[in-house]
Amino acid sequence: MIRIYLGLISVLVILVLFTAFFNLPVAQGQTSAATVDIKDDIFSPASLTVDAGTLIRWTSVGNHPHTVTFDTKQFENQNSDTLNTNDSFSFTFNTPGTYPYHCNFHGGSGGVGMSGVIIVKAVTPPPTPIPDTQVPTAPTNLIVTSVGLFNVNLSWGASTDNVGVEKYKIFRDNVQIGEAFTNTGFPTSYSDSFVSPGRTYSYRVSAFDAAGNESAQSNTITATTQSFATATDAPVIISFFHNNSNGINAAITPGQSTTLIFKVTGTPFPIISINNGIGTVTAGSNILVSPKVTTTYTLTATNSVGTVTASLTVVVSTPSITSPNAATGTLGIPFNYQIIANNSPISFNAFPLPLPAGLSLNQKTGLISGIPMTFGDFTINLEAAAGNGTVASAALSLSLLSNPLIPIITSPAAASGTAGKPFSYQITATNNPTSFDAAFDIDFEHRNPEFEKQFGFSIDTKTGLISGTPTRNENISVFLKATNSNGASIIKVLFFIKDPPVLIITSPASAIATVGSPFSYQITATNSSTSFDADNLPPGLSVDTGTGLISGTPTTRGVFDVGIVASPTFASFKLFIFDDLLSPIIASPDRTVGTVDNIQVQVNALNVRQDAALSASKIGLVRQGEVLNKLEEKNGWVKVELSNGQIGWIFKQYTAPVAVPVVSTLRQKIIVTAWVLNVRSGPGINTKVITTVQRNDVLEKIEEENGWFRIILPNSQNGWVYGKFVK
C-alpha cells in the first residue's frame, strides 16, 4: 500500500513540473486573431479595434515594399522587416491602449501618409453564474397502487422546484432501489419487481433537480406482497401511449409509423390484447402500427379477478395546404405567394402551366413570384409533395388587377443587326418610365449578367438605349422592362443578328466553247476582288490573275469542272467544249444546253409579294446576291421563282439581269435532312467546303456521282452534297 501511495505522489510531482516547465495553459480559450491587408500605400482597415490578447497579422497584398513601424518607442524592437508581396508580420497586443503605426517608406509618425492605428480594449470577464441552491419540495401522497407476488406498484404527487425537477429516487427499507425521470411517460410512478412473496416493505421517495439538490423525503408507506396461497390481484393498466419521431402521442401523417407502448400489472398476470386486428400480444411488448386514418386502439387486460380496458387514439393528420386559398396581385407590380402545407413538403407544383404571364413557381421552395404581365381572375391548382409520398392539394383563386398607369412598351417587336457592326435599339414606352432594363436570352428571374456579356450589348437604364456590337450570327430573345412609380411592364422582343453579307462569285455556272475557236470567260464577284485564279483549265486556256479573265483557244473537247477564285471567295463552273456548235450538244438524251434568264438581288433585303403591287400581301424575303429565275415582267415588277419553288413578284428597280448558261439533267428538287450540311467543291469529303445549308432547305439536284449530288444553290453557285443527308 505504501508503494502505491509513493507511486501516485511521484506521478503528481512529474505532472506539476511538466506543466510549469512548458507553461501549459489551463482551461483557457484560443487566442483570437485579426488581419490587416497592406495594399499599395494604405493599410486596410486603417483603424482596427480588438480585445486585449488578440493576434494581429499584417499581410502585404500590393506590389510595393512596406513596413509596419510603431510610432512609440515601447515597441521599437518589435517593428517588422521590409514586407514584399505576400509577406506577413504578426504581433499580439496584451495591454489595453491605442497603438499608432506607419510605413517607413510611405508614411510617418502622427498619422502622416500611410499609417494606421490599433485600439486594444480590456476584456470584461463573463459574470459568475449564481449557483442553484434551492431544494425541490418533498413528494406528496406516496401510495401503493397494487401489490402482487413479486411486485409493488407506487405513485406519488409531483414535487416543484425553482428551476425544475429532474428525477425522483425511490427507497425501499431506507436503501435506494431505483429512479424515475421526469422526461418519461410516467414520471411519478414506480414498479418494484424485486420483492419476495409474503413480505412487508417500507417505501419513501425524494426529488432531485439538475443541480443535485435533494428534497426532503416523502411520507413512508408499507406494502405486504401476496403469498402463493392467497395471491390474486385485479389487472391494472399503468400506462398506455404511443411514441413516434414527432413525439409522445404526437399526430402522424398517413402511413407514418408509431409505437404503441403499455404497462400492465395483475395477479395472475393478465392476458393482454389490442383490437383493430392486432390480436393477443405478450405482456410488455411494444407494437408498431402505421394507420392511414385517425384510429382508436383499445387495450384489454384480463385475469381471474377481472378485466380492465384503456383507449388510445392515434391522430392521423390529413395532408393539406394551409396557405390562403385566395390572393390578389396587380399588373406590373411585384407579386409573391408562398405555398404552405402541413405534410413537411419537399417539392411543389402548380397547374395549369404556364402560370399567368410574368409569374413562375420555385418547385423547391413553393414560392410563386414575379411581375404580373396580365390581369383577370385565374384558378391555380396547387400541390405539395412530402418525402413519404403524401400529396396535399388545394385550389388558389388568383385575382390580378389591371393597372393602366404602368409604362406600356411601344418599341418594335423585332430588330436586325449585323455581327461585328455597331447596333442600337431604343426602348420606348407610355406613362413616363423612370428606368429601363433588358435581359438577354434568359428572363429577369433567371438572368446571369456574366452570361449576358457574350452577346455584346449593354443598356442605359435611364434612357432605355440598348447598344453595342453583336458578336455572332444568332437570333436573341430580349426581355425588356420599363418602370415608373406605378409599376413595371415586361415584354419579349427578338434581335435578328446576321453575319456580314456573303461574298459570292456571280459569273455564270457553266459556259460553252468550241475547239479551235477563241473563248473568254470573265470571273465576277460581289466583293470587287482584285486577285483571281483558276485551276483545271483545259489545254489552250489561261487566266489573268489581275482581271479574272479566262481566255484562249481550246484544243481539246470535253466537259471540264473549272475551279475559280475571286479572293477570298471561290467556286467552280462547268465548261463544255465541243468540236463545233452544229454537232449534237450532248449525246445523252436526258441532257440539254440552254440559257436561263435570271436576275440578281442588289439590296440587303427585298420583299416578295403575291402580286405586282405594293398593296399585295408579302409572302417572303430575298437577300442581296440571290440569283432568281425570271418568269415574267409587268409594270416595273418581275415575277420570279424562289429557291423553295414558290412564285412571287419583286420590284425590278432593285435587281440586275444575269444571263447564266446552264446544263440541265432532268433537275430534281431535294430537301436537306441534316441540321447543317457542308456543300463541297467536288464529290468527296476531301474537297473544299464552299458553304453550308440548313435543315429543310430546298435544293436543285442536277447530277449524281458515287452517292454525291451536284446541286444548284439559290445564288446559282454549284456544289456537291452527300446524298445520305437529303431526301
Side-chain angles (χ1 to χ4, degrees), residues 207-222:
F208 279 78
D209 62 16
N213 298 312
E214 182 178 9
S215 73
Q217 293 189 339
S218 68
N219 58 297
T220 301
I221 55 101
T222 61

Side-chain angles (χ1 to χ4, degrees), residues 229-379:
T230 61
T232 59
D233 194 8
V236 176
I237 299 175
I238 296 176
S239 61
F240 185 31
F241 61 96
H242 72 96
N243 189 25
N244 56 68
S245 58
N246 301 329
I248 294 175
N249 290 336
I252 60 175
T253 56
Q256 182 181 351
S257 296
T258 189
T259 302
L260 305 183
I261 302 172
F262 55 88
K263 185 175 182 180
V264 177
T265 64
T267 306
F269 198 85
I271 297 174
I272 300 170
S273 65
I274 296 179
N275 74 341
N276 203 37
I278 294 176
T280 302
V281 296
T282 305
S285 296
N286 296 331
I287 300 172
L288 190 68
V289 295
S290 302
K292 294 185 178 179
V293 295
T294 298
T295 303
T296 298
Y297 297 90
T298 301
L299 171 68
T300 302
T302 302
N303 67 6
S304 58
V305 180
T307 299
V308 292
T309 62
S311 296
L312 173 65
T313 299
V314 177
V315 177
V316 178
S317 298
T318 302
S320 62
I321 291 178
T322 58
S323 45
N325 59 8
T328 301
T330 303
L331 176 69
I333 296 179
F335 171 85
N336 288 294
Y337 175 87
Q338 180 63 57
I339 304 174
I340 304 173
N342 65 357
N343 60 339
S344 301
I346 59 174
S347 65
F348 300 84
N349 253 323
F351 305 99
L353 294 176
L355 295 176
L359 301 182
S360 63
L361 168 68
N362 185 321
Q363 291 185 313
K364 291 185 178 180
T365 66
L367 180 66
I368 298 175
S369 61
I371 299 178
M373 286 294 105
T374 186
F375 56 90
D377 295 324
F378 305 88
T379 297

Side-chain angles (χ1 to χ4, degrees), residues 503-506 522-533 544-549 564-570:
L503 304 180
I504 58 173
I505 291 179
T506 58
Q522 180 63 54
I523 304 173
T524 58
T526 60
N527 63 335
S528 303
S529 178
T530 58
S531 175
F532 301 88
D533 203 356
D544 185 326
T545 57
T547 64
L549 179 65
I564 52 179
V565 176
S567 182
T569 309
F570 58 90

Side-chain angles (χ1 to χ4, degrees), residues 590 596 661-669 700-702 712:
D590 65 343
V596 177
V662 297
V663 176
S664 172
T665 61
L666 294 180
R667 295 184 177 187
Q668 176 185 1
K669 300 289 185 183
E700 194 168 11
K701 170 187 170 185
I702 60 174
I712 297 179

Side-chain angles (χ1 to χ4, degrees), residues 50-53 96 120-128:
V50 298
D51 290 335
V120 181
K121 61 181 182 178
V123 178
T124 303
T128 303

